[in-house]
Amino acid sequence: MHSLLKRQIDKKLKGGLNDLDIFLDAVNESYGNYESQIEMLQRAMKLSSDELFEANQRLRDEAESLKDVNKNLQSILESMSLDPELTSKNENFDSSEYIKQQSIEIIKINKQREELLVNLEKQNIALNEYAHMVSHDLKAPLRSIDTLINWFIEDNLEMMNENNLKSLNLILSNVEKMDLLIKGILNYSSVESQPGDERLIDLNVLIQDVLNIIEVPDHVAVTVKNKLPKIVGNDFRFKQLFQNLIQNAIKYNDKEKVIVEIGCLENENEIIFDVKDNGIGIPKVYQNKIFDVFSKLHNDGKSSGIGLAIVKKIIEFYRGKIWLESQESIGSTFYFTIPKDNGNT
């Protein structure tokens, strides 16, 4: 397609670089259209995330109600079997009717719970399908713009001046940012549907694999403080989890010697991991917001604002929790737990 593209560019420019502004305007207009679509996708994901949160909250409330009903029923059964005189003191007490009402209430709550679970699953499926569809539609034209701009620079390099190159490189930079954002959306939406079976993972080996994949500069020291356990899970999910935490620790660090430490503690029920750095730290007011989708403290073009949201989603998938301690200019420590019985063992 090289010759065809070149012919089309020459045809549009006619007089050479005198008409470059027309070409740049056309590309910038395309970029603006795709940015609008990205904003639409962000709004849709935000609405869907809010709906999922509300559904989860309702499930928790219903579960608590069910616990209360079960306790009441258990209390009645115990009183009837262990202490018959207790109920006989109340002349108006009808044990069979009471148990019947409790049974109806349990059936009603279970039905509501099942409906919520079905709706929650449908929303998850719809959100994933929408994210994949929009992301696929956006990636193809981005690749075309990137290829076209690079070919144009290569074929007309001798006619380029500083301003022309600056404009074209700005377009390439914006394309790269959008591509990074799209990848983040795809990773976030596919956390719960990753291919591959759950298996026993040696986290010591996994951390080394992660360090071999990411770019670790010479002034960065990443150490594992103690031997990490083996854990049942999906290899790709845990690689995403540790990769995002380690990359964040390296990226947001202003020290001459960057230190990142990984460790863990175990108790009877769970494993508590920590990833500590000596970076720039996170202000207290932002510490709860950084796990939200599309939330980022620094608009430097290096981050999609989805990395920590992916981390949180993976941990919650394994029924754990995450929190942090941080001081500005001193560093941050991210803590997260993975239950030993996380539903995959």
Side-chain angles (χ1 to χ4, degrees):
M1 293 176 61
H2 190 160
S3 58
L4 293 175
L5 286 170
K6 186 174 180 181
R7 180 180 177 184
Q8 290 299 314
I9 291 170
D10 289 339
K11 181 180 177 181
K12 292 293 182 184
L13 294 181
K14 295 180 181 177
L17 291 179
N18 293 329
D19 293 325
L20 182 59
D21 289 340
I22 298 173
F23 173 73
L24 295 178
D25 288 342
V27 176
N28 279 324
E29 183 181 351
S30 299
Y31 170 74
N33 291 336
Y34 296 127
E35 196 160 58
S36 297
Q37 292 185 54
I38 281 288
E39 289 175 359
M40 267 196 336
L41 177 58
Q42 289 178 350
R43 287 196 296 271
M45 288 192 68
K46 180 67 169 63
L47 288 172
S48 297
S49 296
D50 290 344
E51 290 175 1
L52 292 177
F53 176 81
E54 291 176 6
N56 276 317
Q57 185 62 48
R58 288 173 62 191
L59 280 174
R60 284 192 289 269
D61 293 341
E62 294 292 349
E64 289 300 320
S65 299
L66 187 58
K67 287 180 183 177
D68 292 338
V69 173
N70 283 332
K71 285 179 182 177
N72 292 335
L73 182 57
Q74 184 65 29
S75 176
I76 293 297
L77 291 173
E78 288 176 358
S79 68
M80 291 178 64
S81 59
L82 299 178
D83 190 6
E85 296 180 1
L86 185 63
T87 55
S88 64
K89 291 178 181 178
N90 186 349
E91 296 179 357
N92 297 322
F93 181 78
D94 186 341
S95 59
S96 61
E97 181 63 24
Y98 187 88
I99 292 175
K100 177 182 176 181
Q101 292 300 321
Q102 292 294 314
S103 299
I104 293 172
E105 187 68 20
I106 290 173
I107 292 171
K108 179 182 176 183
I109 291 174
N110 276 331
K111 185 178 179 180
Q112 291 175 344
R113 181 175 176 272
E114 289 173 4
E115 290 175 353
L116 283 170
L117 285 172
V118 170
N119 289 334
L120 188 62
E121 185 177 358
K122 287 180 178 178
Q123 288 184 47
N124 267 321
I125 292 172
L127 178 61
N128 290 343
E129 289 178 349
Y130 180 74
H132 278 80
M133 178 186 68
V134 175
S135 299
H136 181 269
D137 289 344
L138 288 172
K139 284 182 77 70
L142 284 179
R143 285 194 296 266
S144 297
I145 292 173
D146 182 83
T147 302
L148 182 59
I149 295 296
N150 277 296
W151 282 355
F152 181 80
I153 293 174
E154 180 183 341
D155 291 346
N156 299 278
L157 189 59
E158 67 280 356
M159 295 186 290
M160 290 286 177
N161 58 40
E162 185 177 346
N163 289 333
N164 292 334
L165 281 173
K166 184 177 179 181
S167 297
L168 291 169
N169 285 325
L170 179 60
I171 294 172
L172 291 174
S173 175
N174 287 330
V175 167
E176 185 178 354
K177 289 178 187 177
M178 291 184 68
D179 186 62
L180 182 65
L181 180 58
I182 291 169
K183 287 178 182 177
I185 292 170
L186 282 171
N187 288 334
Y188 182 82
S189 64
S190 60
V191 164
E192 291 156 348
S193 58
Q194 289 295 340
D197 297 328
E198 304 288 323
R199 65 179 183 84
L200 189 63
I201 302 170
D202 186 338
L203 292 179
N204 301 282
V205 176
L206 183 138
I207 294 293
Q208 192 55 54
D209 289 342
V210 169
L211 295 177
N212 290 336
I213 293 171
I214 66 177
E215 183 178 348
V216 181
D218 294 336
H219 70 289
V220 175
V222 181
T223 59
V224 179
K225 294 184 293 185
N226 57 307
K227 186 175 177 61
L228 301 178
K230 294 181 180 179
I231 191 168
V232 174
N234 179 279
D235 187 79
F236 185 78
R237 287 194 191 100
F238 278 98
K239 280 184 178 178
Q240 273 194 308
L241 192 162
F242 281 103
Q243 181 173 332
N244 277 305
L245 288 175
I246 294 171
Q247 284 181 319
N248 267 20
I250 295 173
K251 188 184 302 179
Y252 301 111
N253 200 306
D254 56 355
K255 306 300 189 297
E256 290 185 8
K257 180 66 174 178
V258 175
I259 299 173
V260 182
E261 296 177 329
I262 303 167
C264 74
L265 295 172
E266 293 189 52
N267 58 35
E268 184 179 350
N269 300 316
E270 62 187 6
I271 307 166
I272 306 168
F273 295 92
D274 61 274
V275 179
K276 181 180 181 181
D277 65 66
N278 64 335
I280 60 177
I282 300 170
K284 186 74 175 177
V285 67
Y286 296 117
Q287 289 182 13
N288 290 328
K289 299 178 181 179
I290 59 173
F291 297 108
D292 294 340
V293 180
F294 305 120
S295 175
K296 51 185 178 179
L297 304 184
H298 306 279
N299 192 17
D300 53 7
K302 300 177 182 178
S303 171
S304 64
I306 303 179
L308 289 177
I310 292 173
V311 167
K312 183 181 179 183
K313 192 172 184 181
I314 292 171
I315 291 167
E316 290 180 344
F317 177 84
Y318 287 107
R319 303 193 306 187
K321 58 183 183 292
I322 184 169
W323 69 98
L324 74 149
E325 295 176 359
S326 183
Q327 288 182 276
E328 292 184 74
S329 302
I330 294 177
S332 304
T333 303
F334 285 84
Y335 297 93
F336 65 93
T337 63
I338 300 294
K340 290 184 176 179
D341 179 14
N342 58 42
N344 299 285
T345 56

